[in-house]
Amino acid sequence: MSITQIAIKRSTLVVIVFSILTALGLVCYTMLNYNMFPKMDIPVVTVTTRYTGASASEVENSVTKKLEDALSSLENMDYMSSSSQEGVSNITMVLLSNADVDKALEDAQRKVNQTLSSLPTGVKTPSLTKFSMDDTPVLKLGIKADIPDTKLYQLTKEHIKTQLAKIQGVGQVTLVGGNERQIRINVHRDRLDAYKISISQVYSAISNANLELPTGKIEGTFNQYTVRLSGKVTSLDELKNLIVTKSYDGSFVKLSDIAEV
């Protein structure tokens, strides 16, 4: 007897069978689990290196190419791409689908560490990360106010960001955009030539005058005190009156004499 004959002659049996299948389907559907962001490791490793103040060409020649040469021998790598911007070098390595991302990250870190000695002095330590769905932001907030941009940035960084990070379930809060308060020093080239001062001397004078270092400790009978050298610049006037060097006639050359602060 064919299926067609059974469906016609025993229609009640067919209804019962389909009712059972429908019930089983509904029960199985309620037992299904789903995840909007499933745990998965995408075989991508990135290397980010900061070289503050360097041009894009300088970053490419002094940082990106050296790191690329060191990382080119990484195992299970499909292809590598890089970008060099002003002050930042980014290298992206896409691995094969069967590659172990954690092992590749360790190998890349070891190769980068071997290259650190050949990088320029001002280069920050390269940061290596692997792409993870857990790092994908799930909520973005925009903030605006009728106050100056620098004050809004400081308010967001010191207060709003801190409060958001304390919310239960928040993994990380990242601040993007905004204008951070900066102190600009515009050095006049003609005044440098007049006083016979190089730009490196100006940089060293500012760096050495803006330090805060531990100098030791004082031990008493019952207490112990830590002594620190507090040399941080606290105002624009202090920065303007900063002595850069001693002139040939014995007078002191201040920062305000050669630059606009």
Side-chain angles (χ1 to χ4, degrees):
M1 187 178 293
S2 64
I3 297 178
T4 305
Q5 292 176 339
I6 295 176
I8 295 174
K9 295 181 179 180
R10 300 182 181 180
S11 58
T12 305
L13 176 62
V14 175
V15 173
I16 293 174
V17 171
F18 275 94
S19 299
I20 294 175
L21 293 176
T22 303
L24 290 175
L26 292 174
V27 172
C28 294
Y29 178 77
T30 57
M31 297 174 62
L32 289 176
N33 294 324
Y34 64 91
N35 192 345
M36 297 297 293
F37 294 98
K39 183 67 176 179
M40 57 183 299
D41 291 329
I42 300 178
V44 175
V45 177
T46 60
V47 181
T48 303
T49 310
R50 297 191 176 276
Y51 188 9
T52 306
S55 62
S57 59
E58 179 67 19
V59 172
E60 181 180 5
N61 295 326
S62 302
V63 180
T64 305
K65 288 185 177 180
K66 292 183 179 180
L67 292 177
E68 281 182 335
D69 294 340
L71 296 170
S72 59
S73 60
L74 194 68
E75 295 181 359
N76 296 323
M77 184 170 59
D78 188 8
Y79 66 90
M80 177 192 301
S81 62
S82 64
S83 64
S84 300
Q85 304 174 7
E86 184 177 350
V88 180
S89 167
N90 291 300
I91 299 176
T92 302
M93 295 169 288
V94 180
L95 309 177
L96 299 176
S97 58
N98 59 349
D100 188 347
V101 182
D102 294 329
K103 184 177 183 301
L105 188 64
E106 294 178 0
D107 294 341
Q109 182 69 68
R110 185 173 64 254
K111 293 179 181 297
V112 169
N113 292 340
Q114 294 173 353
T115 317
L116 290 178
S117 58
S118 62
L119 298 180
T121 306
V123 174
K124 304 294 183 181
T125 303
S127 173
L128 281 79
T129 56
K130 64 177 181 179
F131 183 83
S132 175
M133 293 298 295
D134 295 337
D135 298 333
T136 304
V138 295
L139 181 62
K140 293 184 179 181
L141 299 176
I143 301 175
K144 64 178 182 178
D146 294 331
I147 57 177
D149 295 343
T150 54
K151 291 185 177 180
L152 179 59
Y153 184 90
Q154 187 175 2
L155 174 65
T156 305
K157 181 179 180 180
E158 297 180 357
H159 299 283
I160 299 178
K161 179 182 177 182
T162 305
Q163 295 300 320
L164 291 176
K166 295 179 181 179
I167 299 176
Q168 184 177 3
V170 175
Q172 183 180 3
V173 179
T174 304
L175 185 60
V176 179
N179 294 323
E180 189 173 4
R181 179 177 179 267
Q182 295 180 342
I183 298 177
R184 299 184 180 274
I185 301 175
N186 301 321
V187 181
H188 300 290
R189 180 63 181 270
D190 54 343
R191 297 184 185 179
L192 288 181
D193 296 338
Y195 287 105
K196 301 185 183 304
I197 301 174
S198 64
I199 191 66
S200 59
Q201 288 180 271
V202 180
Y203 178 82
S204 299
I206 297 174
S207 301
N208 296 334
N210 193 34
L211 296 175
E212 186 171 347
L213 302 172
T215 56
K217 55 186 177 180
I218 300 176
E219 296 184 357
T221 306
F222 303 101
N223 299 317
Q224 178 175 295
Y225 303 94
T226 302
V227 181
R228 297 182 62 85
L229 174 62
S230 181
K232 289 284 186 180
V233 176
T234 59
S235 65
L236 289 179
D237 291 334
E238 289 185 13
L239 198 57
K240 292 178 181 179
N241 295 324
L242 175 66
I243 297 176
V244 177
T245 185
K246 192 174 183 180
S247 180
Y248 56 88
D249 59 355
S251 61
F252 292 102
V253 180
K254 299 180 181 179
L255 186 61
S256 58
D257 297 332
I258 58 175
E260 178 186 3
V261 182

